Amino acid sequence: MANDKSMPPVSGEEVETDGIYENEWGREETLKRGDEFPYDEAMGQTEWELVSLPLESQEEEMYKDTKNNTKPRLHIDRGDK
């Protein structure tokens, strides 16, 4: 029995983290915070897994056509010490 009791997000739930998500049938979608996880056209409701976070350049593309009150997440450049 697995110790991990977390449940992956499913279709219809709100996306909490910008990124590239993959469903259980291998379909990938780029989703941003506030989007809704989509339903699979053939299979209906599906689970989604975060497989990659977007690069800063990809985030700029994700947010180019959004309303003024939707802001991308803050990136802090800590620099090397």
Side-chain angles (χ1 to χ4, degrees), residues 2-58:
N3 290 331
D4 183 15
K5 304 292 183 201
S6 64
M7 295 179 63
V10 296
S11 302
E13 292 183 358
E14 186 175 323
V15 175
E16 294 181 1
T17 303
D18 298 338
I20 300 169
Y21 290 83
E22 184 178 274
N23 72 8
E24 52 203 307
W25 294 285
R27 176 178 157 205
E28 287 190 353
E29 288 283 334
T30 300
L31 302 169
K32 63 181 182 246
R33 185 178 55 241
D35 286 348
E36 185 177 290
F37 286 103
Y39 287 82
D40 188 82
E41 293 88 13
M43 305 304 260
Q45 190 173 37
T46 182
E47 294 179 349
W48 292 90
E49 179 183 357
L50 178 65
V51 293
S52 177
L53 294 172
L55 301 172
E56 284 185 57
S57 60
Q58 291 171 316

